[in-house]
Amino acid sequence: MKTVLCGIGLSLLLIVLDTGASAEEPDTKQRSLDAAENEAVREHIRNFDGRGAVGDFSIAAKSPAEAEKEFVTPDDVTVKAVLAEPDVRQPVCINFDERGRMWVVQYLQYPFPAGLKIVKYDEHLRAVFDKIPPAPPHHDRGADKITIHEDTDGDGNFDTQKTFVNGLNIATSALPGQGGVWILNPPYLLFYPDADHDDIPDGDPEVHLSGFGLEDTHAVANSLTWGPDGWLYGAQGSTCWATVNVLKDPSHPPFHFKGQGIWRYHPKTHQFEIFAEGGGNTFAVEFDEKGRIYSGHNGGNTRGFHYVQGGYYQKSWGKHGALTNPHAYGFFPQMKHAAVERFSHTLIKYESDTLPPRYQHRIIAPVPLHNYVAVSKVSPDGSTFQTADEFKVLTTDDVWFRPVDIKSGPDGCVYIADWCDTRLTHVDPRDTWDRQRGRIWRIQPNQYPQHTPVDLSKLSTDQLIDTLKSQDKLTRQLAQRMLREHGDPQASDGLIDKLPSTNGQLALEYLWAIHALDRYEQRAAEIALGHSDPYVRMWGVRLLTPSLVEANAAELIALAENESHGEVASQLASTAKRIPGTIGLAMALNLAKRDELASDPHIPLLTWWAIESHADDSSLDVDTLVTSLEPTKIGGEVVLPRFAQRLAAEPSEVNLKRLARTLEVAQQDELRRKMLTSIDTAFTGRKIDHLPDELRAAIVAAADGNSSAQLALLVRAGQKEAEARAIQLIESDKTKSDQRLKLIQLLGQVGSETARDSLLRVATSTASDPIRVAAIGGLGSFDAPQLAQQLVARYPQESSSVQAAIIELATSRAAAAYFLFDAVEAKQVPRTAVSVDLLENLKLHGDKKLNDRIGKIWGTTRATPAQLAAELTQTATILKTGPGNAQHGFELFKKRCANCHKLHGEGASIGPELTGYERTNLDFMLLSIVDPSAAIREEYTNYRVLTVDGRVISGFLKNQDEKTITLQNAENPQLVIPRDEIEAGPVAIEKSLMPDRVLEGLTATEIRDLFAYLQSEK
């Protein structure tokens, strides 16, 4: 059973539906949708259109006043509606300006851009449009608009409303600053000048950046935020890719960015760069008072990510491929957190004194799937952080409450943008979005703190500097922006004089102000780098210009050797990666020598990334690198094995000889074994075409003959003696299971016919099932139909796992499938043992005779849209007739669902875990269960590959890089396929692995029981 993924909480995945392509005309290429196919898609959507179409499980929307009464809050705060429809509808982003006014992005055009036509879907089922939309003012006008709302007397009521700009087309974020308003309107970053601040654009917008992806409007670029350094920061979601062009600087090369991460742009120098890569469906950029960056995550068991400069984070590897640096060889996960609910895609770090103390310095995060807002404690985890939920500040049973953005206001209260719709999932194909509603809620003390509105733009430089003492973070942030925009640079002299004797938050604010006034020069840098406050030192390092790096080289190298604060050491590693030449390398080497940093969650990998950035520098000497780092924990455990892998991954003659020298210089047996393993990893799935004599000798000398990696490398290099030894090991019951499995996979990848015969002997031996299954999987690489014939003949006497592996093998090639079909017709193999997705794989061969036999034996393998619509209606009717028995439903779940899904700790993890989903929403659950292919969560999309030797292989796309792709299916946990062996693909399969008609054969009572368990709390 399949469920679906919620993105940023407000979106419809652009899906491709089955339009009835014939079995006789398989197509492994992508194709455009013609008029008839587009009409079929529209008709399918119409069949499911409207909340009442499947049985009216909808709940009427409450008025803002009624909804407010439904909220439950702790005794020390209250929630109030401050804006609602018609003033705001579908709010997706809120920000505050220097006058205390709220700017709201109303995302009314969502989900489909105006003026664009979908011509096809790419290999990831993302929309490809007929054109790139032109930038405003020559654009196709959409329904999005940016509005301004003001509380003129500070009583908490926003009494004036105005529209700054309307007619935008997929606008996600608006942020005032630098004499106008910056708007993300993918594919563009726009700037609307408003020099006189009359809230009327002075003219047409300036286009600063172009190229942000638009393939999936729940995952486009979003969340513009000013950083303390004067850069404009933004987030990129999980589905859209980008090729960012800096239109203000044509010399700036395009930057290719495959989704997920934090980027930044400097509005004056026009530099664009990725600040950190990876994450979830990134939808937030939150700076805390120390200038750290956080963003939310649409996965489970987390409150989000803590991003450090230059960091690489987990991402959807299958969909997006390797990181922009293919030699990262590691990544950071999200912050640790103990929870199972999905998800908080946006968050704030609350740093004000308006709410009671227990809210301060906490993460406050909306959880839109479950209609509440959480308060989470943040505690150090080395140089990064972990979170733990403490309580819920706001809960409601109102399923229309869908919090999608959260910000701290100038009054110190917390403001929440409420999408206000019963639905949240973007993968439901029905266009049932409610575009008439939207609310902004405020979490406040029980008595609203009346405040006098202050226009910070009218304050003098001295007054702005005095404002930096405020206990409210937003006030300080806005004051910093005012200093940057019109502060008097002469005031920096006094700040520099005060900086050495100032401590705590004010010291950091003074440093940022010095930089904002464009006076972060040598004297200020010297003070910052030697300051007693670690965060001043941290930002002192981060703000350095190239000339300041040169001037302070000795201090930076000494800090890398001696700095005791983890976050400062982390920034030193990040900066070392950015500094070319000997200074950055010396910093990185000093960090790598410090064993006390080895257990930190970030610093060892940050140090590797810094050294890796210098791997091609002439200043990096292999002998010095190995001898200086071999005795150290970070060097021996992290850096040197990855350095060996990097050299092997780019196997030029020069690199292979450097690799040989790396192995020769290393003295420790354990380090040499680790390096051999890393080298073998670099060649995963491939033969080694050329192995210089020096490297071959170094590999042989690097281990005592008991290294699996050493043996694997020699097998890959074609050494017959090594292959014979590998064959001996896989056929011996005395060989450890993990070693047998690795060698079986190796021989399946690069083995000879002799190895093939050995694999067949293992597959038909009395070895354990996992060993035999692996051997059968390895045989799939050999184009020998008789192998399938021999194994199919053994099918009746085998265990279920071996039977499944035999069917997988027999359906990978057309010639082999005939033997399986003969056995099915002879009733030696059950017809039901062959899954629909494997039959669909076979159709791709284009073998009419084969397809005819599929039709004869199995008939129609997929339900038609009409059949699914009928089942949907019938099931909805059954569920309305009465409650079910959850205990009985649990037994049905174990039989029908638990082989793929986990719920309440029971089941497998092939498909997504269901526990944290919005299972009480029957309208959502029905479509997911009855029509599982209506939309497929991205990491559970099945992919097909056609190899040059005639195999069709399918599975989840777990990883890919320039040389290989890795598929995972039930029989092969890791099937690595070299790209030069692929004829077509990988192509996303439009159908879910979950079969249609999963409820077929159940009585009405059993259906009610199953749904009762699926919706149960425990």
Side-chain angles (χ1 to χ4, degrees), residues 25-42:
E25 297 177 341
D27 186 2
T28 60
K29 310 293 184 184
Q30 293 297 306
R31 55 192 174 85
S32 299
L33 299 178
D34 61 24
E37 290 173 320
N38 274 319
E39 178 56 31
V41 171
R42 286 192 291 270

Side-chain angles (χ1 to χ4, degrees), residues 814-974:
Y818 284 101
F819 297 113
L820 176 63
F821 291 1
D822 289 343
V824 171
E825 289 180 326
K827 301 191 183 307
Q828 295 168 348
V829 174
R831 172 180 169 277
T832 55
V834 187
S835 65
V836 170
D837 60 295
L838 292 178
L839 294 172
E840 295 295 323
N841 284 355
L842 285 171
K843 293 178 183 179
L844 294 182
H845 289 292
D847 186 324
K848 186 177 185 304
K849 183 179 177 182
L850 194 69
N851 291 342
D852 287 343
R853 290 194 70 181
I854 292 174
K856 177 184 176 183
I857 299 172
W858 283 275
T860 303
T861 55
R862 288 288 187 178
T864 66
Q867 289 171 329
L868 292 171
E871 184 180 351
L872 196 70
T873 301
Q874 181 184 36
T875 306
T877 301
I878 289 171
L879 292 175
K880 288 192 295 182
T881 60
N885 184 309
Q887 185 174 354
H888 294 165
F890 173 56
E891 298 303 320
L892 291 166
F893 172 82
K894 288 193 293 185
K895 294 177 182 178
R896 298 250 170 172
C897 313
N899 57 326
C900 291
H901 294 283
K902 182 178 290 187
L903 177 60
H904 303 320
E906 297 282 347
S909 299
I910 296 174
E913 180 172 347
L914 307 182
T915 309
Y917 282 85
E918 191 187 19
R919 293 174 288 109
T920 57
N921 186 336
L922 271 174
D923 192 52
F924 155 76
M925 289 288 288
L926 271 172
L927 188 71
S928 300
I929 294 170
V930 173
D931 188 6
S933 297
I936 305 169
R937 180 172 166 177
E938 61 185 49
E939 63 265 47
Y940 295 102
T941 300
N942 206 31
Y943 286 81
R944 287 195 181 103
V945 168
L946 176 64
T947 65
V948 293
D949 65 349
R951 275 197 301 167
V952 177
I953 309 169
S954 64
F956 298 139
L957 186 55
K958 302 304 292 184
N959 211 340
Q960 57 177 320
D961 55 34
E962 295 177 351
K963 296 173 182 176
T964 64
I965 70 165
T966 302
L967 295 179
Q968 179 188 42
N969 56 35
E971 282 67 49
N972 291 289
Q974 182 171 290

Side-chain angles (χ1 to χ4, degrees), residues 26 95 190 223 327 373 425 435 456 487 555 615 634 785 807 825 866 945 1013 1016:
N95 276 309
L190 308 173
S223 301
H327 306 302
V373 178
T425 172
R435 295 182 175 86
L456 295 175
E555 179 65 20
I634 293 177
I807 290 175
E825 289 180 326
V945 168
Y1013 178 70
S1016 66

Side-chain angles (χ1 to χ4, degrees), residues 603-911:
I603 293 174
L605 270 178
L606 283 172
T607 302
W608 156 243
W609 295 332
I611 291 174
E612 189 281 325
S613 70
H614 298 275
D616 294 325
D617 291 358
S618 58
S619 56
L620 193 153
D621 176 71
V622 168
D623 288 48
T624 302
L625 182 72
V626 177
T627 55
S628 63
L629 296 189
E630 183 174 14
T632 70
K633 291 181 179 179
I634 293 177
E637 296 174 5
V638 177
V639 174
L640 292 177
R642 286 169 171 79
F643 181 69
Q645 183 174 347
R646 188 194 190 283
L647 294 174
E650 296 181 354
S652 64
E653 189 75 15
V654 170
N655 275 354
L656 293 180
K657 289 184 177 180
R658 290 179 81 196
L659 179 57
R661 183 60 184 166
T662 302
L663 287 169
E664 290 168 0
V665 175
Q667 299 297 307
Q668 298 177 9
D669 292 342
E670 181 63 22
L671 174 59
R672 288 197 295 264
R673 280 192 289 269
K674 288 178 180 177
M675 288 196 288
L676 288 175
T677 298
S678 294
I679 297 167
D680 184 51
T681 299
F683 288 106
T684 296
R686 299 179 293 138
K687 294 182 179 179
I688 301 176
D689 296 323
H690 172 62
L691 200 64
D693 291 341
E694 300 96 320
L695 181 54
R696 185 185 298 272
I699 290 171
V700 171
D704 56 10
N706 292 322
S707 167
S708 295
Q710 179 191 55
L711 180 62
L713 286 167
L714 295 175
V715 171
R716 293 186 193 282
Q719 188 183 87
K720 294 299 181 183
E721 297 87 348
E723 183 181 80
R725 174 62 177 158
I727 289 172
Q728 181 184 24
L729 288 170
I730 70 168
E731 293 193 31
S732 172
D733 290 336
K734 296 181 180 180
T735 306
K736 293 181 179 178
S737 291
D738 59 344
Q739 186 180 16
R740 286 182 88 180
L741 290 169
K742 289 178 181 178
L743 291 174
I744 286 169
Q745 185 180 51
L746 171 70
L747 293 174
Q749 292 171 355
V750 300
S752 65
E753 290 187 6
T754 302
R756 178 198 67 191
D757 296 339
S758 174
L759 289 171
L760 181 60
R761 288 193 294 273
V762 175
T764 56
S765 71
T766 58
S768 66
D769 281 2
I771 297 295
R772 296 180 62 204
V773 166
I776 295 170
L779 288 171
S781 302
F782 299 93
D783 187 6
Q786 68 274 15
L787 296 173
Q789 182 181 24
Q790 294 179 57
L791 290 167
V792 167
R794 297 175 58 92
Y795 182 93
Q797 66 197 58
E798 299 292 359
S799 66
S800 60
S801 60
V802 173
Q803 287 176 338
I806 291 171
I807 290 175
E808 176 85 12
L809 175 73
T811 52
S812 64
R813 300 178 189 273
Y818 284 101
F819 297 113
L820 176 63
F821 291 1
D822 289 343
V824 171
E825 289 180 326
K827 301 191 183 307
Q828 295 168 348
V829 174
R831 172 180 169 277
T832 55
V834 187
S835 65
V836 170
D837 60 295
L838 292 178
L839 294 172
E840 295 295 323
N841 284 355
L842 285 171
K843 293 178 183 179
L844 294 182
H845 289 292
D847 186 324
K848 186 177 185 304
K849 183 179 177 182
L850 194 69
N851 291 342
D852 287 343
R853 290 194 70 181
I854 292 174
K856 177 184 176 183
I857 299 172
W858 283 275
T860 303
T861 55
R862 288 288 187 178
T864 66
Q867 289 171 329
L868 292 171
E871 184 180 351
L872 196 70
T873 301
Q874 181 184 36
T875 306
T877 301
I878 289 171
L879 292 175
K880 288 192 295 182
T881 60
N885 184 309
Q887 185 174 354
H888 294 165
F890 173 56
E891 298 303 320
L892 291 166
F893 172 82
K894 288 193 293 185
K895 294 177 182 178
R896 298 250 170 172
C897 313
N899 57 326
C900 291
H901 294 283
K902 182 178 290 187
L903 177 60
H904 303 320
E906 297 282 347
S909 299
I910 296 174

Side-chain angles (χ1 to χ4, degrees), residues 210-213 241-245 254-257:
S210 69
F212 290 107
W241 293 1
T243 299
V244 177
N245 295 284
F255 197 100
H256 303 284
F257 184 28

Side-chain angles (χ1 to χ4, degrees), residues 12 48 891:
L12 170 63
F48 296 97
E891 298 303 320

